Amino acid sequence: MTNWRLWLGIISTSFILFIAVFGPLFAPYEKDYVEPTGYYYNGPDDFGIHASPYPPSKEHLLGTDQWGYDILTLLLYGAKYTVFVGIGVALIRIIIGGSLGIWFGLSGREKKKTGTIFGLLGSIPTFLIIYFLLIRITINSPLFVIELILLQSFLMVVVGFPGVYAAVFSKTVELKKELYITATKALGAGKLRILWKHIFPHLKGTLLAMFVKEIILVLTLIGQLGIFNLFLGGTILRLGGPPVYISISRDWAGLIGQWRSFIYDYQWILYSPLLAFVLLLFSFYMLSRGIELKQKATLQKYPHI
Amino acid sequence: MKMALSIIGLIAFIYLLAAIPLSITIMDENLSLSIRTISDLVKNYVTGLLNGESFTYQEGKNRTYSYLQDISAYFFTSLRYLLLAGFLSVLIGMLISAWYSKSKREWVKDMIGFLGTIPDFILVIFLQLGVVFIYESTGLRLARVASRSVDENAYLLPLITLTLIPAIYLIRTLSERTYDVLSEDYILTAKAKGLKKRVIYINHVVRNILPFLKADLHKVLAIMMSNLFIVEYLFNIRGLTAMLFGGTMYQYNLIVNTLFALVFLYLMVYWSIRLLILLLERVFAHD
């Protein structure tokens, strides 16, 4: 049976990557284009004004937001931030956590009991830690977008890699008990050789699956921060009247965050970034399912009942 | 000893974390963190503990309230949601994982798994949009989209969100465990003895799953706590987390106290679910 999930994942992920790289080229409008508000007069009985938000139409495929920005354009421009920060942060988490985990798993003792501190820290979610660190930095920040994104990515790596480390560590400790490792050791292999020739090839698949899962976790984290108005690349806060939060980079999670109150009226404004984000998660999910099933087929155990 | 150390570590962490927003300054595109501000804030808080000033908070101008008096209502609102959702998700997780581990229907697993990857905030927004959509097309008011006041809390949708996400996590991890347990030799022995499937499940499978549930509990609760923030914020529930984001002014006392209350909330929910597991052990794993 062909692994259609893997193929679906690969195809949709490449589609998303394509959009992230070349999206702005296909954008129907300039990034800052605002559809003007105006009036029309076709006769004494047929006149009125038209004002944003415009519903989806031929001119604006996904409609415009409350200020008249074309939503499709914003999505195409914002894609690169969401996608590449998600992938990049996950990759660095895996590289740091994975290499530390393998190294210390090989040299370390049996897994020590995880302390209570780790359990208690669960009461303070990761996004809250980042929230407190960034709240004064992200909103109306004097930093450049790229500086801010690097800072945010760095923090997301820091809060995330211990989890990867712990998982890889315990896997390595498990693998170390295998007979073939003992045999290689008895033959006089050094640590680096065991690591490179025996542990790493075995963990390669696991690391790949973890990588895709980490991408989903990072995207969730970005989204949660977006809900609390800390957008990737910075937030503009306009006061005077009810506070308005605007995402500078227009990343997808930020768009969801800034438009999240459109659940009663003008729902198309909220639907588009929401569906785009779900599509993003879906492609990575399919990829991870595909990898998971592929591995399961090779390392399967069978139940007795 | 280790316990004491970790508690001290946690307290220090909370003091530090709450102080960071006040001690960060950006001048001419240079980020700087003032250690002095942090130590001053902590010092003030600790001296305030003695004369009771640390247990007050301000609202607006010159209106000071006692934190200890007001917090209980917020605390119990959060506790109620978490306890209900926690119990439900553990029971649902246990029940469904037994079936899930054996099921060959990969597409159902796809669905459940994808539901599990959907983040809490997307689930919340979809539920809200769904309720509004049903109301607009049929006029049926299924559930409250948000809480309007303390007396009119939204219950159905928040509980769905709070239950579903940890339940799916449990289904996925416990079903893997169930699968492993089912391929153990003692199950083969039991089968060879001619025991019925139901008996094997009740007497051998469930009791060997429970330790894993216990070990996973911290992870499940971490997921639930993080969901609680999103749920209370998006459904406008006046729970504990509303204290963190509610005010216009950043008050160090308020934040530190609320973070401690969160840890306390976590412990209460943790031990309540441990009690539930103890009960399950009495039923399934008695000797």
Side-chain angles (χ1 to χ4, degrees):
Chain A
M1 202 179 99
T2 54
N3 194 339
W4 61 268
R5 292 178 186 81
L6 190 59
W7 284 109
L8 183 64
I10 289 172
I11 290 168
S12 54
T13 310
S14 351
F15 173 67
I16 297 254
L17 283 176
F18 180 78
I19 284 184
V21 177
F22 299 106
L25 297 181
F26 298 101
Y29 294 92
E30 286 290 299
K31 196 186 175 191
D32 300 327
Y33 177 80
V34 177
E35 183 69 34
T37 298
Y39 61 87
Y40 60 93
Y41 183 84
N42 298 332
D45 299 324
D46 185 20
F47 62 93
I49 55 168
H50 48 90
S52 48
Y54 297 98
S57 63
K58 221 180 266 168
E59 289 85 48
H60 299 283
L61 278 178
L62 299 177
T64 74
D65 73 351
Q66 72 267 46
W67 299 292
Y69 288 105
D70 182 58
I71 290 177
L72 181 63
T73 310
L74 295 187
L75 284 177
L76 287 172
Y77 272 97
K80 54 178 174 289
Y81 297 102
T82 320
V83 175
F84 289 128
V85 170
I87 295 177
V89 169
L91 188 67
I92 298 173
R93 276 183 183 183
I94 291 288
I95 290 174
I96 296 179
S99 45
L100 287 179
I102 293 180
W103 184 258
F104 285 105
L106 263 183
S107 50
R109 303 158 303 278
E110 274 295 292
K111 194 182 179 191
K112 43 190 189 301
K113 266 192 88 177
T114 42
T116 348
I117 180 81
F118 179 72
L120 282 178
L121 267 183
S123 54
I124 302 172
T126 30
F127 84 86
L128 194 70
I129 296 173
I130 297 189
Y131 177 85
F132 277 122
L133 292 173
L134 283 180
I135 181 77
R136 284 298 154 101
I137 303 174
T138 305
I139 295 181
N140 289 341
S141 171
L143 298 176
F144 292 114
V145 171
I146 187 73
E147 285 176 333
L148 207 53
I149 287 181
L150 286 177
L151 180 67
Q152 285 164 330
S153 310
F154 171 72
L155 287 177
M156 284 192 277
V157 170
V158 169
V159 296
F161 86 87
V164 179
Y165 166 77
V168 175
F169 181 87
S170 60
K171 286 247 177 207
T172 314
V173 170
E174 278 304 307
L175 274 181
K176 215 171 67 171
K177 289 181 196 152
E178 294 283 341
L179 281 177
Y180 58 81
I181 302 284
T182 320
T184 347
K185 257 190 204 155
L187 287 172
K191 200 165 152 189
L192 273 177
R193 183 177 166 88
I194 297 178
L195 193 157
W196 193 246
K197 289 280 177 189
H198 298 278
I199 303 278
F200 184 67
H202 215 105
L203 280 180
K204 225 165 32 186
T206 317
L207 283 176
L208 188 65
M210 271 169 82
F211 170 54
V212 182
K213 278 187 186 147
E214 282 297 312
I215 294 176
I216 295 175
L217 287 183
V218 175
L219 288 175
T220 309
L221 186 56
I222 296 174
Q224 285 174 330
L225 288 171
I227 289 291
F228 287 100
N229 302 319
L230 296 184
F231 304 138
L232 207 59
T235 306
I236 302 171
L237 170 62
R238 290 215 183 108
L239 289 166
V244 176
Y245 295 91
I246 302 164
S247 159
I248 297 177
S249 67
R250 311 294 192 177
D251 90 281
W252 291 359
L255 291 180
I256 296 176
Q258 81 178 46
W259 291 330
R260 75 184 155 77
S261 48
F262 286 101
I263 52 170
Y264 304 106
D265 289 305
Y266 313 124
Q267 281 114 336
W268 70 84
I269 298 177
L270 185 54
Y271 274 132
S272 320
L274 212 52
L275 289 178
F277 203 80
V278 171
L279 177 73
L280 185 62
L281 290 173
F282 178 76
S283 13
F284 285 122
Y285 171 69
M286 272 299 152
L287 203 58
S288 93
R289 271 294 277 171
I291 295 169
E292 198 179 279
L293 283 178
K294 198 176 164 207
Q295 282 195 330
K296 205 173 155 192
T298 49
L299 305 162
Q300 186 144 24
K301 278 199 260 176
Y302 288 96
H304 297 306
I305 55 170
Chain B
M1 183 59 204
K2 210 173 166 189
M3 186 77 187
L5 259 176
S6 60
I7 290 175
I8 292 172
L10 184 73
I11 292 175
F13 179 73
I14 287 179
Y15 280 153
L16 193 68
L17 187 67
I20 277 172
L22 290 177
S23 50
I24 282 180
T25 43
I26 308 178
M27 289 288 281
D28 309 323
E29 297 179 8
N30 279 323
L31 255 174
S32 60
L33 187 73
S34 147
I35 306 290
R36 215 190 136 77
T37 323
I38 297 181
S39 66
D40 282 351
L41 282 170
V42 175
K43 218 183 284 167
N44 276 343
Y45 182 83
V46 174
T47 48
L49 280 180
L50 298 175
N51 56 24
E53 252 173 45
S54 294
F55 298 113
T56 57
Y57 69 100
Q58 290 185 354
E59 215 172 79
K61 258 187 193 158
N62 302 326
R63 275 184 298 161
T64 312
Y65 296 99
S66 161
Y67 185 79
L68 292 177
Q69 251 170 30
D70 296 358
I71 194 64
S72 58
Y74 291 92
F75 185 82
F76 284 112
T77 311
S78 294
L79 186 65
R80 201 158 54 222
Y81 280 100
L82 276 186
L83 275 185
L84 264 173
F87 285 163
L88 278 176
S89 53
V90 166
L91 293 178
I92 293 175
M94 293 285 292
L95 277 177
I96 297 187
S97 60
W99 166 83
Y100 186 90
S101 63
K102 286 281 296 165
S103 170
K104 285 271 177 286
R105 279 180 225 155
E106 288 292 341
W107 65 269
V108 181
K109 294 190 185 182
D110 284 338
M111 297 267 293
I112 293 183
F114 183 57
L115 216 57
T117 40
I118 288 190
D120 36 19
F121 64 97
I122 293 207
L123 192 65
V124 170
I125 295 177
F126 269 129
L127 284 175
Q128 289 177 329
L129 282 171
V131 166
V132 171
F133 177 76
I134 289 175
Y135 173 67
E136 278 177 352
S137 50
T138 64
L140 203 65
R141 281 180 209 172
L142 270 187
R144 290 204 184 96
V145 170
S147 300
R148 271 190 296 180
S149 68
V150 184
D151 309 318
E152 282 189 86
N153 271 331
Y155 270 103
L156 185 63
L157 299 189
L159 278 180
I160 290 178
T161 322
L162 277 174
T163 309
L164 203 60
I165 291 169
I168 288 172
Y169 173 79
L170 275 176
I171 289 172
R172 281 166 64 100
T173 50
L174 288 184
S175 71
E176 265 172 44
R177 301 296 167 212
T178 314
Y179 197 86
D180 287 345
V181 167
L182 286 179
S183 45
E184 292 284 347
D185 286 341
Y186 54 79
I187 300 291
L188 191 60
T189 314
K191 192 183 164 192
K193 278 183 180 171
L195 294 180
K196 285 211 177 67
K197 239 183 197 179
R198 191 162 44 98
V199 176
I200 297 179
Y201 265 103
I202 291 174
N203 287 341
H204 299 282
V205 178
V206 175
R207 67 177 298 170
N208 284 300
I209 299 297
L210 285 174
F212 292 112
L213 179 63
K214 245 192 263 179
D216 253 359
L217 205 53
H218 277 304
K219 193 95 191 278
V220 174
L221 271 183
I223 294 174
M224 290 189 69
M225 289 304 278
S226 134
N227 287 347
L228 184 75
F229 279 84
I230 303 288
V231 165
E232 288 192 352
Y233 187 68
L234 288 181
F235 285 114
N236 193 29
I237 296 167
R238 305 292 294 167
L240 208 48
T241 63
M243 286 292 225
L244 288 181
F245 307 108
T248 44
M249 205 169 53
Y250 190 91
Q251 299 172 55
Y252 185 70
N253 295 346
L254 182 69
I255 302 291
V256 170
N257 288 335
T258 312
L259 288 177
F260 279 126
L262 273 172
V263 175
F264 190 59
L265 177 76
Y266 179 88
L267 286 176
M268 275 187 85
V269 178
Y270 178 77
W271 285 107
S272 312
I273 298 183
R274 277 299 285 268
L275 269 179
L276 177 75
I277 296 176
L278 197 71
L279 202 75
L280 289 174
E281 275 175 343
R282 284 271 149 185
V283 177
F284 291 108
H286 58 89
D287 289 307

